[in-house]
Amino acid sequence: MSNVATLKIIAHEPAKDSPPIIRTATIAMVLLVKPEFPVNNLPEFLNYARVHNLTAGYRQVCCQ
């Protein structure tokens, strides 16, 4: 598949012209905040993040 982020001109649209064949993974995502953080759900968190210009960070945990 062509990388649309690195090529200026592409003769096709990879997202439309290359449909997915199979799902290769299912990933669980968890959002954790301290109890004193002033939000109670995801919409409140997203609004708070927009208003306060929060930057994102992440931690990756892997078990084998």
Side-chain angles (χ1 to χ4, degrees):
M1 182 178 282
S2 300
N3 187 344
V4 295
T6 59
L7 300 174
K8 291 182 180 180
I9 299 173
I10 297 179
H12 65 288
E13 292 190 40
K16 290 181 181 177
D17 298 338
S18 304
I21 298 169
I22 62 170
R23 181 186 319 190
T24 59
T26 300
I27 301 170
M29 303 286 291
V30 178
L31 176 65
L32 301 173
V33 297
K34 293 182 177 183
E36 59 269 13
F37 199 73
V39 299
N40 296 309
N41 54 45
L42 183 59
E44 287 180 11
F45 177 82
L46 294 175
N47 186 48
Y48 184 93
R50 287 184 192 107
V51 170
H52 293 89
N53 294 321
L54 296 184
T55 57
Y58 71 94
R59 170 97 35 200
Q60 181 177 353
V61 178
C62 180
C63 301
Q64 294 183 357

